[in-house]
């Protein structure tokens, strides 16, 4: 429902439909009020086309100074010259091979959205506006180089472990496979967990703000390890709401992922080692 600014009654109904709306894949999108809605999914370089229907409320006419549709942040299309609408009127629209290099993202302190905005300009009466969200996801091939991760960490004369992950770059439905070797154990370890952490950075310089979320916590071991013991790691990523890694998107924000290995001793002291990994979207199923 669309309302004239400063008034209480709708002057008309606006509906936006996409040309292939019935066949195009729909994905969930969480809005600012926390409600989740299903919206169309697009990729960069696709055509975005459809129809916009404007229907005056029964018995009314809509005088206007022009009608336009915008792909916010991208392009504006004029749909109609100034005039009047007495009955339902439909306008086709198309944005051809639109460059949308950045994916839709809903974070803690930042949102990247793609929106169609229809505006009926009405001068003193106030404009009538309708919005339609859609989601953009960009798929790519697997990285040509994907080295494994191997590191040694420890506390001098107390603890020495070596951990290994099978690769450093993972797609969103991947499986993290690895091992942890205990080379020296002179403190009593109570348990060990592997966490997936997402770090969202917004702003720049002194105004940079960082939010860190723990998205997953996977228990690797419950009990004391001994020297020479090897603990396997097998963590499936598909159950978690992950995004690709984003680096300095439009000079506004970055999103990075880390594997955080946490050991807790019997005195509840925590030891941890964090390693950045790269997430990417592979194929239409990820």
């Amino acid at each position: 429902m669309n309302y004239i600014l400063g008034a209480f009654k709708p002057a008309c109904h606006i509906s936006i439909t996409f040309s292939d709306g019935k066949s195009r894949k729909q994905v969930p999108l969480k809005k600012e009020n926390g409600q989740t809605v299903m919206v169309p999914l697009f990729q960069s370089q696709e055509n975005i086309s459809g129809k916009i229907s404007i229907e005056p409320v029964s018995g009314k006419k809509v005088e206007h100074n022009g009608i336009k549709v915008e792909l916010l942040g991208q392009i504006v299309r004029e749909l109609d010259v100034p005039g009047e609408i007495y009955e339902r009127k439909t306008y086709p629209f198309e944005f051809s091979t639109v460059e949308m290099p950045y994916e839709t993202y809903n974070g803690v302190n930042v949102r990247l959205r793609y929106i169609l905005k229809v505006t009926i300009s009405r001068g003193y009466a106030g404009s009538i506006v309708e919005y339609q969200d859609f989601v953009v996801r960009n798929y790519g091939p697997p990285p040509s180089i994907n080295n494994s991760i191997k590191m040694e960490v420890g506390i001098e004369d107390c603890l020495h472990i070596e951990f290994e992950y099978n690769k450093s770059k993972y797609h969103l439905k991947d499986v993290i496979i690895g091992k942890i070797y205990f080379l020296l154990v002179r403190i009593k370890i109570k348990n060990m967990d592997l966490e997936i952490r997402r770090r969202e950075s917004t702003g720049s310089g002194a105004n940079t703000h960082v939010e860190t979320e723990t998205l997953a916590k996977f228990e690797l071991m419950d009990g004391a390890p001994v020297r020479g013991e090897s603990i396997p790691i097998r963590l499936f990523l598909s159950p978690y709401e992950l995004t690709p890694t984003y680096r300095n998107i439009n000079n506004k924000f970055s999103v990075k992922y880390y594997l955080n290995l946490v050991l807790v001793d019997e005195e509840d002291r925590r030891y941890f080692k964090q390693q950045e990994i790269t997430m990417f979207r592979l194929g239409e199923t990820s």
Side-chain angles (χ1 to χ4, degrees):
M1 198 72 70
N2 304 277
Y3 291 87
I4 303 175
L5 298 178
F8 298 96
K9 294 181 179 180
C12 63
H13 302 282
I14 302 176
S15 62
I16 303 172
T17 58
F18 293 96
S19 298
D20 53 358
K22 292 184 178 180
S23 59
R24 180 169 291 275
K25 184 177 180 179
Q26 303 278 312
V27 296
L29 176 67
K30 184 176 288 187
K31 301 183 77 68
E32 291 178 344
N33 60 7
Q35 181 184 8
T36 299
V37 296
M38 300 300 292
V39 298
L41 173 65
F42 288 87
Q43 298 181 49
S44 184
Q45 301 295 329
E46 282 198 87
N47 294 339
I48 300 175
S49 62
K51 293 181 179 179
I52 295 164
S53 295
I54 300 172
E55 185 174 6
V57 172
S58 179
K60 293 187 176 182
K61 69 176 181 179
V62 178
E63 298 182 15
H64 64 88
N65 298 325
I67 302 172
K68 64 183 178 182
V69 59
E70 300 171 73
L71 178 53
L72 288 191
Q74 298 283 339
I75 313 165
V76 179
R77 293 280 187 269
E78 299 294 337
L79 297 177
D80 205 350
V81 297
E84 298 175 346
I85 301 176
Y86 293 91
E87 57 187 4
R88 183 184 182 92
K89 194 169 183 180
T90 300
Y91 302 89
F93 71 91
E94 180 173 4
F95 300 96
S96 300
T97 57
V98 182
E99 181 72 29
M100 297 178 287
Y102 307 128
E103 290 201 357
T104 301
Y105 175 70
N106 290 316
V108 178
N109 292 312
V110 64
R111 300 181 72 204
L112 196 160
R113 301 171 63 190
Y114 287 89
I115 304 172
L116 282 176
K117 177 184 177 183
V118 179
T119 303
I120 303 176
S121 300
R122 287 168 54 86
Y124 70 91
S127 297
I128 304 172
V129 180
E130 176 74 5
Y131 299 94
Q132 172 66 57
D133 282 273
F134 61 94
V135 166
V136 172
R137 290 179 182 169
N138 293 322
Y139 305 92
S144 56
I145 299 176
N146 198 348
N147 297 321
S148 62
I149 300 172
K150 180 180 286 189
M151 296 185 68
E152 293 185 9
V153 297
I155 304 170
E156 187 175 0
D157 297 328
C158 293
L159 178 68
H160 187 189
I161 63 175
E162 180 181 274
F163 64 88
E164 181 178 354
Y165 303 117
N166 61 329
K167 49 191 175 183
S168 57
K169 301 174 183 178
Y170 297 88
H171 65 76
L172 304 187
K173 306 297 182 184
D174 218 332
V175 182
I176 296 174
I177 298 173
K179 288 183 179 180
I180 297 174
Y181 305 93
F182 288 87
L183 305 177
L184 176 64
V185 184
R186 288 180 179 169
I187 57 177
K188 294 183 178 180
I189 301 296
K190 184 169 60 174
N191 62 278
M192 179 170 59
D193 298 323
L194 181 64
E195 299 173 340
I196 300 176
R197 291 188 172 185
R198 177 164 58 207
R199 182 176 297 169
E200 176 188 287
S201 303
T202 55
S204 61
N207 296 319
T208 300
H209 183 78
V210 178
E211 288 281 351
T212 300
E213 300 175 89
T214 299
L215 305 179
K217 188 174 182 179
F218 180 69
E219 185 177 74
L220 297 175
M221 181 194 69
D222 184 11
V226 296
R227 180 180 178 182
E229 188 171 358
S230 173
I231 306 295
I233 298 171
R234 192 174 185 86
L235 177 58
F236 291 85
L237 299 179
S238 55
Y240 307 111
E241 294 186 7
L242 306 175
T243 69
T245 295
Y246 302 131
R247 302 189 188 278
N248 198 26
I249 298 300
N250 204 30
N251 295 318
K252 299 295 184 183
F253 73 97
S254 297
V255 178
K256 298 180 180 180
Y257 287 87
Y258 297 85
L259 294 177
N260 192 43
L261 185 65
V262 183
L263 292 88
V264 182
D265 68 14
E266 290 188 343
E267 297 180 8
D268 286 328
R269 290 177 298 197
R270 295 165 62 87
Y271 311 91
F272 62 91
K273 181 64 178 179
Q274 196 163 257
Q275 174 65 43
E276 183 180 357
I277 57 174
T278 299
M279 303 299 303
F280 64 94
R281 194 180 297 282
L282 175 67
E284 294 189 356
T285 60
S286 62

